[in-house]
Amino acid sequence: MTHSTPKTEETPEIASTKTRRQLENLGCLATFVVGVIFLIGFIVLLPERPDGPRYGGAESEPHSGGTFVFQHESNVRTLDPHIAYDELSGMAIRLMFDGLLDYDFESNLVPSIATQMPTVSEDGKVFRFHLRQGVRFHPMPGLPEGRELVAEDVRYSMMRLMSKEVGSPGFPFYSAIEGAPAYHEGETDDVPGIVVIDDYTIEFRLTEPDQTFLNVMAMPFAYPIPRENVEAHGSEVKFHPVGVGPFRFEGWERGVQLTFTRNDHYFRDDRPRPDRMVFLENVTRELASLRFQNGDIDTIHRQSPSDYRFYRDSEAWAPYRVEFPRMSTFGIGMNCEMEPFTNRHIRRAIAFSLDRAGWSRARSGRMLEAGQILPPGMPGHDENLAEAQRFDLDIAREEMRLAGHPDGLDEPVPFWITGQDDTSRQYGELLQADLQQIGIEVDLEFVSFATYLEETGKPNTVPAFFTGWNLDFPDPSNFIDILFHQRAIHEQHSENRAFYRNDEMDAILDRARSMTDREARLDLYRQANAIIANDAPWAFTYYPLSMELWQPYVRGYAPHPVYSEDYRNLWLDLPRQRLARSLAGRGTGVPAAFFALPGWR
Amino acid sequence: MMDPRAWKRFRANKGATVGAVLVLFVTLVAILGPFLAPHDPTEQFRDTLINDDGTLARPFELAGHLLGSDSTGRDELSRLLHGGAISMLVAYFATALTILIGVVVGVTSGYFGGIVDTLWMRFVDLLLSLPFLLLAIAFKSVISEATLFHLILLLAALSWTRLARVTRAKVMQVRQLEYIQAARALGMTHTRILMKHVLPNVTGPIIVLGTTLVARMIIFESALSFLGLGVDPPQASWGSMLHEGQQLMVDSPHLMLLPATMIVVTVFGFNLLGEGLRDAFDPKD
Amino acid sequence: MWAYIARRIFSASIVLTLAIFLVFILINEVGDPAASTLGPNAGPEAIADFKAKQGLDRPLMVQFASFLGVGRCVREASPAWSEDDSERGYCGLLQGDFGESFSHNEQVASVIGNRLPRTLLLGIVALVFELLLGLGVGIFAALRRNTLIDTGLMSAAYFGISLPTFVTGPIFLIVFCFLYGWFPLGGYGIDAADHLRHAILPGLTLAIIGAATYARVMRGELVEVLQSDFVRTARAKGLPASRVSMHAIRNALIPIVTMIGMSLPLLVGGAIITEKIFGWPGMGMLAIESIANLDSPVVMGVVVVFAVAVQIGNLIADIAVAALDPRVRLDASG
């Protein structure tokens, strides 16, 4: 049609041209018809989305073996426990390392490498740990059989964590240890607060009582590593992790996957039982959901909205899913030192204008409405405080009137939001629609997480921003002190990104910090919690609900309240899975109409 | 300006006619769409278009919301109509700007030659040796407050190279013609020669290239949107709707397939039209 | 010939330097990598330390000279670094040193060395599809020109050109991988055969536009050659039709070779969108990840590889055309 070249061609076979043309036309028509039939066949025979799991499981006794595959949508940055401070690296590190203390499924601290909880002195400043005997490091250069962990390893690791060269982001958590700041600054060669009593006993001395010291000793920063391995690999040690954990490091293809093999010398009984763990990096949510359903991946913890609804409503998946609130709080941070948020009434107006139920609808109900900084389940969370921040347009308009802006603000206000994906876009649009109701025009600025961290940490830079906090350890100080105390305000890298200053509340927090009576301490935190909710440096939006799914042959799995992925007790129902895999195959299923627009379900 | 034989050739070309009809159609959609849209494309019907279980209203389910809901409870039909307007606006303006830059560069460099030419052409080489999409992503990260205007500017700034090269070649050809040499000898000013004799000669190839450029702009805008770097919310473009629809692909395929179809139809139309114009202007090719 | 190549390399290296400079400025405008690399709790000392290690505290021009390898090394992390200014060595591109990735804690060269083969594999699979489909369709259509078959195939090619990867990719993925289960659902696989199996569908997605383009160009060229004098002469002399066609095809391939040369940069630069859709961990994915992480050394590395590939591709195209077509003299064409 477009290539209409002149038809003045003289070929030797002129005579036969006409019949050939006809034949060709016929052939073309036939090809066309076959093609159309093929296409229609394709569409009509399109298999329906399988409703349930592809592979089943059997009722057998817990046993070892098999390969467990899990994934994340981003990539691991480092395998050095002293450096890692992101969720993903933590996931990988916890497979290979173990600490003196750990959390059980009720968020209680329990001994791990330690034989029992440490003895604490009267004044709350001296902690003595007794270590298990026979805890072995994985094989490492020069030590093909590994070697036993002793108290000196714990001391060495803590010193490495505090040294300036390593530059651990976790150092501030341990600055209460006697001599730690001086050692960090390079003024001394030793930390007098860490004392090795004998091979299986170690003591920590603090300059002041710290109620969170045991919590920080359970953080991955405090996981012991062997000196020999650090010396053998130097700065490359982050690619050659050696710990005492249930799995040994096998390999890491950057950006693709990490593999781990079973450590036969692991000392705990509640270990994960597979022979091999495969951690796939950079798998998008959409892809992960599809691969999970095809049985390529054994568990998923994040889903795209439509997949979330699919799994939530599926009867067949019901026994293999769990939904629970994560220990995180999200909200809109407002810089209390910048216009218009210097005005408390504006901040409160925003807190009362957010239609949290509507947000929840738009997100398929994957959240709990939030009205205070401490999420449900966190000590200090106050059920009675739910009214302090809620959706009520009348109150919101009244607050705008009190603020002196009954008709709203004249200028659009920039709100920062991280990421460029659909989720952040959707949240931005929800906020825009809500604040329009009280006459505030939202000017969304999409920035990278790095820019957000950098700029919101500076005074007088970012007026308002989407923000959130994920717990490090289950203690209210990990939310309130870090996010709202004036101590967390600096010229840059402030964690108090709202630049909220309240001397009265800070006094309460300071009193709580060194207090040993748990109930009295929590009472103080409840007070602080209420002050924040009413002053609204953040307009709290939601506590995320997390849905985790696993294949039927994955057994013994339960979500952990502190760690986002924790596979202790997990085992694979291997024979049945293999059987299922060989029987089920992959391929066409039941015919389904493709374009009956109500979807493929 | 257009020679009548070209017009005849163009009309005889069935593909070009189909292309012209498609282009006319999407352009009309873009112009009239915002007036035809039944709802405000940014209004969120959180209670009516999103069901209690979180599922979205399907097409033909609710009167008044013909194509159902998008991912945030907005009227899909209105968004599609408004999105078309934005997509086409970006594409047309970016093309116009590209042509402006390309012609200025191509004409100056072809007509004056020498150092001007060398500098411009080295700059073209430089731009061509950089990965387009990567550059666009980096630029978008630098501009924190990206408006439609920035998007248009970005697309144009990265796409004028080919047009400049073609214009330059044509101008160099024209420059050698005797009557231009004569005009010069007669003391005509450069501006006058350019306006009167050179520009009319390059119009043909520019129209042809410009038509296919619109198709490329639609694709680029959609590609940027697909990576989440397109127009700012709550605005919609076909590209950003495609991006949003992709994650609901299994559940509600129409949310992706509707904007995708519009994009493909538009691109197809402009490509056909461009090819038809090329044949018409330059029959031996 | 050699003089020509030398001249080309010289002018290419100037263009390259300027292009790299442009991106260098741009990427340093994007943001401060220290905060993104070290995380929220990093103190001012750690940040200062990081900047010193990577030379980020120096003036931009000095950093650029060091990056190229014409100025002394400014990165304390580099083996070429020395406290004494006069003893400092060089650690830039000229020394084959791309620097160290911020987010990967690894040499950029090794990060790219990891990703490049994958992108190449995908690119080659796509190219094979493009050539098989494109040339096949093009030749077939040209030999049957002005028939319904020709019209049908060329209309299909037209439509193919208008099908962007971000439309076809997700549809292919859902239909062929998920619902039919014929191909693996994204990813890269574990061994050579598996890699290939994973590459087929993204390769096909990438190949559609290319194949359609090749088909159109091939048909156009071949039709022209078939109508040229030498083909008529050959036919008149009674050469068998098949041999005539072979000769004609050979001649029509010249512009195709140029096109293949021009597509080399796309082969190594990675297909950002296709890689993202199929979760293929190649250069394209690396590029977006690195921009998001403000990992400027890696972004620079990707850009350098791409820019070099553009120049090499152009050079190869020119030389190949000269080899195929004796009428072209490289030395004359400056």
Side-chain angles (χ1 to χ4, degrees), chain A residues 9 24 42 253-254 450 454, chain C residues 35 106 118 144-145 180:
Chain A
E9 233 184 281
E24 271 175 1
F42 237 113
E253 200 184 345
R254 316 306 306 277
E454 175 76 14
Chain C
E106 196 179 351
R118 297 184 195 144
R144 302 265 181 286
R145 61 191 167 282
Y180 276 103

Side-chain angles (χ1 to χ4, degrees), chain C residues 306-324:
Chain C
F306 184 89
V308 169
V310 171
Q311 303 299 335
I312 294 177
N314 290 348
L315 194 63
I316 289 179
D318 288 355
I319 294 172
V321 169
L324 278 175

Side-chain angles (χ1 to χ4, degrees), chain A residues 158-175:
Chain A
M158 294 302 293
M159 302 265 294
R160 179 169 183 270
L161 159 71
M162 292 169 186
S163 76
K164 202 172 176 183
E165 301 89 76
V166 172
S168 169
F171 168 72
F173 288 116
Y174 305 90
S175 51

Side-chain angles (χ1 to χ4, degrees), chain C residues 67-305:
Chain C
F67 175 76
L68 281 183
V70 296
R72 293 199 183 267
C73 193
V74 295
R75 293 185 292 118
E76 285 180 19
S78 160
W81 169 261
S82 150
E83 283 298 326
D84 186 354
D85 274 6
S86 59
E87 280 178 18
R88 265 190 294 148
Y90 299 89
C91 60
L93 292 179
L94 288 178
Q95 288 76 40
D97 187 346
F98 281 74
E100 196 186 329
S101 157
F102 299 155
S103 61
H104 288 255
N105 305 311
E106 196 179 351
Q107 291 295 311
V108 172
S110 95
V111 176
I112 289 181
N114 230 340
R115 301 293 184 108
L116 194 53
R118 297 184 195 144
T119 285
L120 275 177
L121 173 66
L122 184 58
I124 289 169
V125 169
L127 189 63
V128 168
F129 275 128
E130 281 173 5
L131 292 179
L132 279 181
L133 279 172
L135 299 192
V137 166
I139 291 171
F140 190 74
L143 294 180
R144 302 265 181 286
R145 61 191 167 282
N146 301 329
T147 63
L148 257 177
I149 296 183
D150 178 26
T151 314
L153 285 177
M154 281 304 110
S155 313
Y158 249 103
F159 196 64
I161 289 177
S162 314
L163 280 178
T165 49
F166 49 80
V167 170
T168 48
I171 296 178
F172 282 4
L173 187 79
I174 299 271
V175 173
F176 297 118
C177 301
F178 182 58
L179 293 176
Y180 276 103
W182 291 344
F183 296 97
L185 261 166
Y188 174 64
I190 40 172
D191 55 35
D194 208 23
H195 296 331
L196 202 61
R197 214 164 58 87
H198 280 82
I200 292 175
L201 209 59
L204 197 63
T205 307
L206 263 182
I208 287 182
I209 292 186
T213 316
Y214 279 122
R216 287 185 49 219
V217 173
M218 188 67 205
R219 182 200 174 274
E221 291 296 322
L222 193 52
V223 165
E224 203 167 296
V225 173
L226 283 173
Q227 287 168 355
S228 66
D229 292 340
F230 93 92
V231 171
R232 282 157 201 260
T233 316
R235 277 199 182 132
K237 278 186 178 169
L239 227 61
S242 61
R243 283 201 52 195
V244 174
S245 299
M246 285 315 290
H247 272 287
I249 289 170
R250 193 186 129 94
N251 272 282
L253 274 178
I254 293 172
I256 300 286
V257 171
T258 319
M259 278 174 70
I260 297 175
M262 299 292 209
S263 73
L264 184 73
L266 297 175
L267 231 56
V268 304
I272 292 184
I273 290 189
T274 309
E275 287 185 8
K276 194 173 152 70
I277 294 169
F278 288 93
W280 183 266
M283 296 282 279
M285 286 269 271
L286 182 68
I288 1 185
E289 279 164 35
S290 311
I291 289 184
N293 293 338
L294 300 184
D295 194 345
S296 39
V298 176
V299 178
M300 288 311 298
V302 174
V303 168
V304 168
V305 169

Side-chain angles (χ1 to χ4, degrees), chain A residues 2 309 312 361 420 429, chain B residues 46 50 53 74 228 279:
Chain A
T2 48
R309 291 196 292 268
R312 185 197 58 195
R361 277 178 93 88
Q420 289 280 6
E429 288 170 341
Chain B
R46 290 179 195 166
I50 303 177
D53 61 353
R74 291 167 298 203
D279 284 347

